[in-house]
Amino acid sequence: MRTQVGIVGAGPAGLVLSLLLAECGIDSVIVETRSRAAIEETIRAGVLEQGTVDLLVDHGVGGRALAEGAKHDGVELRYGGTGHRIDFAGLVGRSVWLYPQHEVLKDLIAARVAAGADIRFEAADVSLRDVTTDSPVIAFTGSDGTPVELGCDVIAGCDGSAGISRHTIPESERTDLFRAYPFGWFGILAEAPRSAPELIYAHSQRGFALISTRTPDVQRMYFQCDPEEDADAWSDDRIWQELQARVAGDGFRLAEGRIFQRGVVPMRSHVCTPMRYGRLFLAGDAAHTVPPTGAKGLNLAVSDVLVLANALDAFYADGSTERLARYEEVALRRVWRTQHFSWWMTSMLHTAPDASPFDVRRQLGELESVTSSVAGSTYLAEAYTGWPFES
Ligand code: RFL
Ligand code: PHB
């Protein structure tokens, strides 16, 4: 089998890339280990930058995000028992959208399948060969058990943080910069009405909490926990008590309800370089991860593949490799700004297990600086709603 661009992974990065390439008349095949149903059911991100929504709309897959998602013009930073609103619309004239990642993926898969795209779900034994030659190969076993060799001009490694693409770059030529945080997020989905009109990022004596939303009847909430915490060991009552304690103050109470999904996610920052090795290009979580406090991972994956799609468009138009050669430089500029923003939000709002009273007072000073200063809150608003995409 042959295609122009072989894409490993049908997450946001792989699917958006195949959509953008198709519009340039470039063929691709996506090879994905999971089933379509599993992809469409996995609960992950909730916040889309304005630029991400604009891109989905411009490419014909944003209709449901606009109709069923919710535009948020600000967030609340809550500390010392009081809420402080960051007014995105007033400060930077931009907003974010609450529209779950698995709904974005449903929209993308439906659009790609309707357009006749070749997506190999439930592939096994995926491996990459000859990536430093002009005809790299993705080898895999198809869902019917048949071995397949997919010859390509270029491979896009979009297989997330646990994928194989990154490991195809020899260790001697790869640098992985990591930071593991000494806490995780305990996440729940609950059948309950909204407690507040906008997201709440709460700093408290007991640690961080985030109050987010999915629909008018389903709410998403998180609280900082030990990364090894056993989510099943917590009763619903204990979870609600913990969440209520972390947002308490000025009479505010969360609306409670039946918890129907729970889990603990680790928090880490990671960047792998190079993002390009021969004819292999890494994009999205395959190359970098950020802690979810800045709500950036999916948005960063979209920004990577926009840069890559434009570079591939130039390559197929006239054989020029200049933009492909600059892919890593352009992508990494946003990656490191985003790494900083995500680390900053995380360290400002979470309580480290060894935090001293000085550290906690310093965080409160920082939160006060951000919320009481136009310059401070404008930086947060600009970064959270998303810098313009570079392409
Ligand atoms: P994905 O989504 O992990 O997709 C990779 C795909 O590759 C497949 N795969 C393979 N396929 C073939 N061969 C192999 N060997 C393979 N190994 C893996 C996988 O099955 C999968 O389908 O990576 P991608 O496309 O780079 O997208 C990244 C985003 O999913 C991720 O950054 C976000 O979910 C991060 N994130 C958030 N991002 C935001 O922009 N806004 C948010 O509000 C936000 N909230 C979050 C988040 C992530 C969270 N968790 C669970 C870590 C909240 C949470 C709790
Ligand atoms: C979510 O709704 O899942 C969500 C919102 C904001 C974040 C991370 C996750 O920073």
Side-chain angles (χ1 to χ4, degrees):
M1 253 181 90
R2 252 207 94 73
T3 188
Q4 290 177 300
V5 179
I7 300 176
V8 192
L15 287 162
V16 172
L17 179 62
S18 94
L19 175 75
L20 298 177
L21 292 178
E23 287 184 14
C24 304
I26 302 169
D27 282 338
S28 65
V29 174
I30 305 184
V31 179
E32 163 64 52
T33 45
R34 290 188 301 160
S35 68
R36 179 173 177 176
I39 292 174
E40 293 183 345
E41 279 162 18
T42 305
I43 307 294
R44 287 181 83 173
V47 177
L48 305 181
E49 291 175 4
Q50 169 119 41
T52 299
V53 174
D54 291 347
L55 181 138
L56 296 174
V57 170
D58 289 349
H59 295 277
V61 286
R64 236 165 41 91
L66 289 184
E68 294 172 31
K71 182 164 160 287
H72 283 223
D73 291 332
V75 289
E76 179 175 296
L77 294 186
R78 195 168 174 79
Y79 56 93
T82 315
H84 305 259
R85 181 167 191 257
I86 307 286
D87 174 8
F88 297 156
L91 289 162
V92 294
R94 292 167 74 80
S95 308
V96 292
W97 285 80
L98 267 282
Y99 186 65
Q101 174 162 341
H102 65 279
E103 300 294 343
V104 176
L105 292 173
K106 279 185 200 166
D107 297 344
L108 285 165
I109 293 172
R112 297 306 299 128
V113 168
D118 190 349
I119 310 180
R120 305 297 173 103
F121 293 106
E122 298 177 69
D125 314 318
V126 183
S127 66
L128 310 185
R129 276 207 332 258
D130 307 334
V131 296
T132 55
T133 72
D134 287 350
S135 45
V137 172
I138 305 177
F140 62 98
T141 306
S143 58
D144 61 355
T146 313
V148 182
E149 302 248 314
L150 174 64
C152 321
D153 299 333
V154 165
I155 295 177
C158 301
D159 48 350
S161 55
I164 47 102
S165 296
R166 171 165 63 96
H167 301 284
T168 307
I169 306 174
E171 263 181 47
S172 58
E173 300 188 43
R174 196 173 81 221
T175 305
D176 286 289
L177 300 178
F178 267 110
R179 169 182 283 258
Y181 297 85
F183 37 76
W185 274 14
F186 192 128
I188 62 157
L189 280 170
E191 274 169 12
R194 283 200 181 112
S195 300
E198 294 175 340
L199 268 60
I200 302 174
Y201 287 80
H203 173 281
S204 84
Q205 301 283 359
R206 304 182 62 89
F208 172 74
L210 169 59
I211 310 306
S212 182
T213 182
R214 284 294 178 269
T215 67
D217 307 315
V218 174
Q219 309 311 317
R220 180 75 164 145
M221 303 183 197
Y222 302 93
F223 59 93
Q224 171 188 347
C225 65
D226 186 296
E228 305 300 325
E229 192 67 63
D230 174 9
D232 293 325
W234 285 61
S235 68
D236 285 19
D237 276 355
R238 188 172 164 217
I239 294 173
W240 284 119
Q241 261 177 32
E242 193 58 51
L243 281 163
Q244 296 286 11
R246 292 188 190 203
V247 298
D250 59 18
F252 179 71
R253 295 264 319 154
L254 295 169
E256 301 181 7
R258 188 178 74 86
I259 295 171
F260 62 92
Q261 207 258 358
R262 60 176 69 195
V264 171
V265 288
M267 302 273 285
R268 52 177 172 253
S269 304
H270 166 234
V271 179
C272 164
T273 50
M275 284 176 71
R276 178 220 180 137
Y277 184 69
R279 289 280 181 112
L280 168 67
F281 294 80
L282 301 179
D285 277 16
H288 41 72
T289 45
V290 286
T293 327
K296 285 282 167 252
L298 182 158
N299 295 295
L300 198 52
V302 168
S303 132
D304 280 354
V305 296
L306 180 61
V307 178
L308 183 55
N310 286 329
L312 287 167
D313 188 25
F315 173 66
Y316 281 108
D318 59 12
S320 71
T321 55
E322 194 223 333
R323 292 188 73 164
L324 282 176
R326 289 191 57 232
Y327 166 66
E328 167 163 328
E329 178 199 329
V330 176
L332 278 182
R333 244 197 314 267
R334 191 184 186 91
V335 167
W336 278 111
R337 286 180 87 181
T338 305
Q339 286 290 354
H340 170 260
F341 176 68
S342 304
W343 165 86
W344 175 66
M345 288 284 281
T346 303
S347 46
M348 179 167 66
L349 289 162
H350 292 70
T351 313
D354 62 351
S356 67
F358 173 86
D359 296 328
V360 175
R361 289 294 314 167
R362 185 195 54 72
Q363 284 179 313
L364 293 171
E366 190 173 10
L367 283 158
E368 196 62 31
S369 292
V370 170
T371 56
S372 65
S373 136
V374 173
S377 44
T378 303
Y379 168 66
L380 196 153
E382 195 184 84
Y384 194 93
T385 55
W387 305 291
F389 286 141
E390 234 184 294
S391 60

